[in-house]
Amino acid sequence: NAGVTQTPKFRVLKTGQSMTLLCAQDMNHEYMYWYRQDPGMGLRLIHYSVGEGTTAKGEVPDGYNVSRLKKQNFLLGLESAAPSQTSVYFCASRDQWVGNQETQYFGPGTRLLVL
Amino acid sequence: AQSVAQPEDQVNVAEGNPLTVKCTYSVSGNPYLFWYVQYPNRGLQFLLKYITGDNLVKGSYGFEAEFNKSQTSFHLKKPSALVSDSALYFCAVRAPYNNNDMRFGAGTRLTVKP
């Protein structure tokens, strides 16, 4: 049981390049999330999904797109990277059942540097 | 929108001493409050949560937190700190009307010295 995994672990992009971050979970969770972590600001929610085929905007969605084609995977896309998107990106998932649904399980993070 | 504040960027304590990491919150309605811990180069790990019930919540690794409604606080505590407790601690609050909207504090770095 690997929990939540993220690919890649680290990436350097040039301004204007595109890339996709992959999050995978093997806990059969319905809900998945993408956060960014910046110094002094904690984590901020980018997008989330409440189930396969669904996505919704979070607190800071601009410049990002997401897709949830399979229940276990949640992809975060940057169409045209900007230096302001330099950050550490975390994926998380949680269960939908009452009593278990409040705890989010986080991946190890992807460190992205945009030059 | 709901929010939390962690007034201390850094907390230093000696091993064996009690520790407190502070958190205050702002939310409309009943709060859903959480503490997470982050070790270097790792994702966040759940420590404990307050949804309803007793104001003193016990969590993982000997940590506990006290919910104080009048002071809108949810401070994290441990009676006797360990060097291995050194990490980054995040307080978070969930919106009562949207269980997908979690807001995190900026984090407090706890250093426990031998």
Side-chain angles (χ1 to χ4, degrees), chain A residues 31 33 35 37 40-43 45 48 50 59 90 94 99 101-104 106-108 111, chain B residues 32 34 36 38 41-44 46 49 51 88 90 94 98-106:
Chain A
Y31 299 89
Y33 306 85
Y35 293 91
Q37 182 181 29
M41 297 188 73
L43 276 73
L45 181 64
Y48 64 95
V50 300
E59 185 183 359
F90 287 99
R94 70 172 176 87
Q101 65 176 226
E102 300 299 343
T103 302
Q104 294 190 19
F106 285 81
R111 192 172 296 273
Chain B
Y32 291 65
F34 306 82
Y36 282 83
Q38 185 180 31
N41 301 313
R42 301 285 296 276
L44 276 68
F46 170 78
K49 64 185 178 187
I51 306 298
L88 191 55
F90 291 95
R94 199 212 82 184
N98 181 352
N99 59 9
N100 296 297
D101 187 1
M102 187 93 87
R103 302 297 173 101
F104 289 81

Side-chain angles (χ1 to χ4, degrees), chain A residues 18-70:
Chain A
S18 64
M19 78 163 294
T20 299
L21 283 68
L22 171 64
C23 175
Q25 53 93 6
D26 61 1
M27 297 174 282
N28 201 35
H29 287 171
E30 287 291 337
Y31 299 89
M32 297 187 73
Y33 306 85
W34 275 108
Y35 293 91
R36 59 179 288 172
Q37 182 181 29
D38 301 295
M41 297 188 73
L43 276 73
R44 291 181 292 167
L45 181 64
I46 304 171
H47 286 281
Y48 64 95
S49 169
V50 300
E52 183 178 317
T54 74
T55 63
K57 293 180 180 180
E59 185 183 359
V60 288
D62 294 343
Y64 304 95
N65 56 75
V66 288
S67 64
R68 184 101 180 265
L69 299 180
K70 294 182 178 181

Side-chain angles (χ1 to χ4, degrees), chain B residues 15-109:
Chain B
E15 188 174 30
N17 283 0
L19 70 87
T20 298
V21 183
K22 296 179 180 178
C23 172
T24 58
Y25 67 88
S26 174
V27 67
S28 296
N30 294 325
Y32 291 65
L33 297 161
F34 306 82
W35 277 101
Y36 282 83
V37 59
Q38 185 180 31
Y39 297 102
N41 301 313
R42 301 285 296 276
L44 276 68
Q45 296 178 27
F46 170 78
L47 273 181
L48 51 80
K49 64 185 178 187
Y50 172 84
I51 306 298
T52 186
D54 290 342
N55 290 343
L56 186 63
V57 180
K58 294 189 184 298
S60 305
Y61 312 122
F63 283 93
E64 57 189 28
E66 186 171 9
F67 170 67
N68 188 317
K69 188 173 183 179
S70 63
Q71 296 185 5
T72 62
S73 66
F74 189 57
H75 300 332
L76 181 70
K77 300 180 180 183
K78 188 173 183 180
S80 179
L82 300 173
V83 172
S84 57
D85 292 331
S86 299
L88 191 55
Y89 290 81
F90 291 95
C91 182
V93 61
R94 199 212 82 184
Y97 48 85
N98 181 352
N99 59 9
N100 296 297
D101 187 1
M102 187 93 87
R103 302 297 173 101
F104 289 81
T108 297
R109 185 164 300 281

